[in-house]
Amino acid sequence: MEPGAGDGAPHYNENNGSRRPGAMSPASATDAAREADRIRPVLKRLWGQKKWDPATVRAALLHLGYEEERTGSNGKPHGGTLTVRAMNSRFTDGREVTPEGALVGLRVHDDACVTAFVQKSNYEVMTNGPYPETGCFEPPFGH
């Protein structure tokens, strides 16, 4: 059995490597925690106001001075560090459903992100290293 192989399935680590964030340096982790502390009260306020649509969340976070992340036609980053988008869709009752709410990804450094969400039931702000294929956002599934 592979070390750290979860339920012991063959090739668990290999198959789920894209779902593990990269490591953050101690300095980057400190910076990410500081940015998380700036974002948390904004999401708490929006959640209390029942405002969790991506446009409202984006506007509130841009007000903190972040710039929206842009990519060039080749898909390479072209400035900005903030991405706010709809929640991931999921298959429920035989159809694709996108829950109300917003996902937040803030690139603090090449090795550090703040990820967050706000939705009807709750909100959460975390720090993590980037994922190999999806940047700040945890991939919805492995391959």
Side-chain angles (χ1 to χ4, degrees), residues 48-60:
Q49 295 172 344
K50 300 182 182 344
K51 296 180 178 178
W52 41 73
D53 63 283
T56 300
V57 172
R58 182 181 303 107

Side-chain angles (χ1 to χ4, degrees), residues 1-14 16 20:
M1 181 159 71
E2 272 183 281
D7 63 3
H11 306 289
Y12 178 88
N13 286 330
E14 179 184 334
N16 290 284
R20 279 195 276 290

Side-chain angles (χ1 to χ4, degrees), residues 74-132:
N74 60 0
K76 298 226 187 262
H78 198 60
T81 57
L82 175 70
T83 301
V84 179
R85 60 179 175 84
M87 302 292 281
N88 292 328
S89 64
R90 53 183 168 244
F91 204 71
T92 306
D93 297 327
R95 62 187 178 99
E96 282 287 314
V97 176
T98 301
E100 287 183 59
L103 292 174
V104 176
L106 177 72
R107 177 73 73 152
V108 179
H109 294 296
D110 285 345
D111 68 336
C113 296
V114 174
T115 54
F117 67 85
V118 59
Q119 60 187 3
K120 185 176 183 176
S121 59
N122 63 333
Y123 68 94
E124 186 172 1
V125 180
M126 306 147 283
T127 62
N128 54 274
Y131 293 87

